């Protein structure tokens, strides 16, 4: 020990050791890179990438869900207003229909009434006319039977007219 | 430190096999340990994968502390290998010490100054090389030696040597002293028979536990300082 300095042994410096360790270390490093360091650190990197990718996609999914929720909310609101609009329209339609139905009915009733009135008046006229004729014939027969003599046509007509007038007055008085 | 050195010459280059064998053993242990830990890698980590990922996170954290992310990514493998290798080297001598016929075959590789000097030399050369590569030689010289104040140039040059020596000798000193004390306690245990063997057991136990702690701290310190020196060279001050 006393004869040796820090590095120097009795038989000099074994500088081959330096070469040996350099080679040893480099070979060890190359082997580790191929068998241990390489695959493991690659996998670690892959994992880091995957985690950040997962985080990104989670963020995206959250945003999408939020969008969907907002869309649904607006759709719900829209459907509310749509429904009330539909109801309003139906109400208005109903009202209109009511009005037209009523007016139609009124019109119809009016025309029916008018027709009936017309019918009645025509019938009355017809009846009057037929009665007129009947009475005229009847009275001629009666008169001819009673008087047995030819009446002057003018006289006869005047006679009948007065008779009918009397009938008409009687009718109006009724 | 050189008692029990087993020196062999190969192509005229002296190799200290009592230093190289434990280095090789440590490297083999490191490789098979990490190889075993990194089998069946999955996106959802299992037990073994968690351990190796924890180590990688730890060394990446060291780098993150001293330089920006995009710069530091390149040194992840270096820090990882350096940390695991030094850590295992520090612990190797605590688990096994083999000395036969006055020649040591197994001890901590880092309890030999040659090992730590080699490692420190390697990482500091790398730091200087990266500095030159990034800024060109002129920029590197300016960045390293002339900033912030040019007249500190002698101190800056001196600092490069002290960085090298302190980085290597800090690790060496800690581990070597730990082993010396382990051996001393062992000597004490065998010197008086049972009377000293029994009290030596808890002593050795305590010191081994403390050495595990020191070994971990020193591995961390070595990697941290390595990254600090590299970042000094590749970043403008």
């Amino acid at each position: 020990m006393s004869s040796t300095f820090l590095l120097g042994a009795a038989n000099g410096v074994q500088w081959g050791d330096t070469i040996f360790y350099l080679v040893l270390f480099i070979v060890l490093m190359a082997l580790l890179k191929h068998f241990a360091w390489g695959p493991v650190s690659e996998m670690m990197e892959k994992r880091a990438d995957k985690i950040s990718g997962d985080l990104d996609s989670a963020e995206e999914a959250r945003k999408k869900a939020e969008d969907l929720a907002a869309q649904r909310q607006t759709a719900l609101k829209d459907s509310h207003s749509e429904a009330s609009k539909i109801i309003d329209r139906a109400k208005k339609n109903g009202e209109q229909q009511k009005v037209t139905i009523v007016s139609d009915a009124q019109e119809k009733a009016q025309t029916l009434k008018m027709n009936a009135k017309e019918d009645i008046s025509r019938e009355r006229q017809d009846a009057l006319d037929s009665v007129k004729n009947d009475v005229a014939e009847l009275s001629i027969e009666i008169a001819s039977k009673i008087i047995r003599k030819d009446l002057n046509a003018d006289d006869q007509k005047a006679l009948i007219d007065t008779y009918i007038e009397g009938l008409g007055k009687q009718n109006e008085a009724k | 430190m050189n008692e029990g050195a087993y020196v062999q010459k190969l192509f005229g280059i002296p190799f200290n096999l009592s230093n190289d064998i434990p280095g090789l053993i440590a490297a083999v242990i490191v490789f098979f340990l990490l190889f075993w830990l990194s089998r069946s890698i999955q996106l959802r980590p299992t037990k073994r994968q968690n351990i190796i990922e924890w180590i990688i996170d730890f060394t990446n954290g060291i780098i993150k502390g001293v330089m920006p992310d995009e710069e530091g990514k390149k040194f992840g493998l270096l820090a990882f290998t350096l940390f695991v290798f030094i850590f295992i080297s520090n612990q190797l001598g605590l688990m096994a010490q083999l000395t036969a016929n006055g020649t040591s075959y197994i001890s901590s590789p880092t309890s030999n100054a040659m090992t730590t000097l080699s490692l420190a030399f390697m990482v500091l050369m790398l730091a200087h090389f990266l500095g030159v590569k990034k800024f060109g030689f002129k920029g590197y010289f300016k960045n390293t030696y002339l900033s912030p104040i040019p007249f500190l140039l002698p101190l800056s040059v001196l600092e490069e040597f002290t960085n090298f020596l302190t980085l290597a000798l800090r690790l060496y000193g800690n581990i070597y002293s730990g082993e010396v004390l382990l051996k001393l306690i062992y000597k004490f245990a065998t010197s008086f028979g049972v009377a000293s063997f029994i009290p030596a057991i808890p002593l050795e136990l305590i010191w081994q536990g403390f050495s595990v702690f020191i070994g971990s701290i020193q591995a961390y310190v070595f990697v941290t300082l390595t990254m600090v020196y590299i970042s000094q060279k590749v970043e403008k001050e």
Side-chain angles (χ1 to χ4, degrees):
Chain A
M1 265 306 249
S2 58
S3 66
T4 60
F5 183 53
L6 189 64
L7 306 174
N11 39 13
V13 177
Q14 289 88 35
W15 54 280
D17 289 8
T18 304
I19 299 167
F20 175 80
Y21 272 102
L22 284 183
V23 172
L24 182 73
F25 191 80
I26 287 163
V27 169
L28 180 65
M29 202 152 88
L31 283 174
L32 286 185
K33 182 181 181 163
H34 188 259
F35 289 108
W37 166 270
V40 173
S41 59
E42 191 183 313
M43 188 55 76
M44 286 166 86
E45 206 135 296
K46 217 185 274 172
R47 186 182 308 137
D49 285 354
K50 184 175 155 37
I51 287 172
S52 80
D54 283 358
L55 284 179
D56 282 355
S57 67
E59 176 73 17
E60 215 165 278
R62 197 181 61 85
K63 213 172 264 175
K64 213 181 267 176
E66 257 171 26
D67 282 359
L68 264 176
Q71 247 172 33
R72 236 191 357 237
Q73 200 67 30
T74 51
L76 203 65
K77 221 181 265 173
D78 280 2
S79 71
H80 269 308
S81 63
E82 190 98 351
S84 66
K85 232 183 255 173
I86 287 171
I87 289 172
D88 271 2
R89 210 183 309 145
K91 259 187 198 163
K92 220 178 270 173
N93 274 358
E95 203 81 22
Q96 236 164 13
Q97 235 157 12
K98 192 179 104 181
V99 169
T100 50
I101 286 170
V102 168
S103 67
D104 273 6
Q106 262 172 353
E107 226 170 274
K108 224 175 217 171
Q110 204 72 32
T111 48
L112 271 176
K113 218 164 130 188
M114 293 268 278
N115 283 352
K117 254 187 187 163
E118 252 169 47
D119 278 359
I120 286 167
S121 67
R122 200 171 48 234
E123 221 122 289
R124 203 181 71 178
Q125 197 64 43
D126 283 359
L128 272 181
D129 283 355
S130 73
V131 166
K132 228 179 187 177
N133 287 342
D134 281 1
V135 167
E137 269 171 32
L138 208 65
S139 54
I140 286 170
E141 228 168 279
I142 292 167
S144 57
K145 264 181 189 165
I146 294 173
I147 305 168
R148 284 276 185 215
K149 76 173 190 184
D150 279 344
L151 268 177
N152 183 313
D154 283 342
D155 289 351
Q156 197 175 347
K157 203 164 193 304
L159 195 71
I160 290 161
D161 278 350
T162 50
Y163 181 71
I164 285 170
E165 237 166 89
L167 265 179
K169 261 177 199 159
Q170 239 174 0
N171 210 29
E172 268 166 35
K174 255 189 220 171
Chain B
M1 63 178 258
N2 268 306
E3 82 254 47
Y6 176 36
V7 180
Q8 282 282 342
K9 285 211 171 194
L10 192 67
F11 308 120
I13 304 169
F15 285 97
N16 181 3
L17 290 190
S18 62
N19 185 22
D20 295 343
I21 291 170
L24 192 63
I25 290 172
V28 168
I29 290 174
V30 167
F31 175 73
F32 280 107
L33 180 70
L34 294 180
F35 184 80
W36 177 67
L37 286 177
S38 63
R39 288 312 89 193
S40 67
I41 297 291
Q42 288 158 355
L43 201 60
R44 281 172 210 276
T46 48
K47 282 176 195 166
R48 279 184 280 157
Q49 195 184 341
N50 272 327
I51 298 172
I52 190 166
E53 283 191 6
W54 183 81
I55 302 171
I56 290 176
D57 269 340
F58 178 72
T59 54
N60 281 347
I62 295 174
I63 299 170
K64 215 170 267 176
V66 295
M67 54 181 119
D69 257 6
E70 67 274 16
E71 192 79 59
K73 247 180 194 165
K74 293 178 282 187
F75 304 114
L77 178 61
L78 174 71
F80 175 67
T81 313
L82 208 55
F83 177 77
V84 181
F85 180 64
I86 292 176
F87 178 78
I88 296 293
S89 295
N90 291 349
Q91 312 306 339
L92 184 63
L94 302 179
M95 298 171 207
Q97 291 274 356
L98 180 66
T99 310
N101 297 330
T103 307
S104 133
Y105 290 102
I106 298 177
S107 61
S108 282
T110 41
S111 69
N112 189 312
M114 275 314 284
T115 312
T116 59
L117 284 169
S118 302
L119 289 173
F121 179 73
M122 180 183 73
V123 296
L124 285 171
M125 275 301 117
L126 181 70
H128 286 275
F129 170 75
L130 288 171
V132 174
K133 192 180 164 196
K134 184 159 184 192
F135 298 118
F137 191 77
K138 227 171 142 184
Y140 152 78
F141 192 82
K142 215 168 162 187
N143 186 33
T144 309
Y145 303 106
L146 297 182
S147 77
I149 314 163
F151 69 77
L152 285 179
L153 173 68
L155 279 180
S156 301
V157 173
L158 189 65
E159 195 195 347
E160 294 307 317
F161 288 101
T162 55
N163 278 351
F164 167 56
L165 282 177
T166 52
L167 183 61
L169 296 183
R170 179 184 303 109
L171 178 60
Y172 157 68
N174 275 288
I175 305 307
Y176 179 61
S177 61
E179 289 205 350
V180 166
L181 194 53
L182 277 183
K183 279 176 191 164
L184 278 178
I185 293 171
Y186 175 72
K187 253 181 208 161
F188 163 68
T190 51
S191 51
F192 300 109
V194 182
S196 63
F197 192 76
I198 291 171
I201 290 175
L203 268 182
E204 190 88 327
L205 200 69
I206 290 166
W207 185 245
Q208 270 186 325
F210 191 59
S211 291
V212 168
F213 173 68
I214 288 177
S216 315
I217 291 287
Q218 287 308 315
Y220 171 71
V221 166
F222 192 93
V223 175
T224 306
L225 284 175
T226 298
M227 288 306 139
V228 167
Y229 294 150
I230 289 178
S231 80
Q232 276 176 359
K233 296 290 175 288
V234 298
E235 272 169 58
K236 271 216 154 63
E237 278 163 28

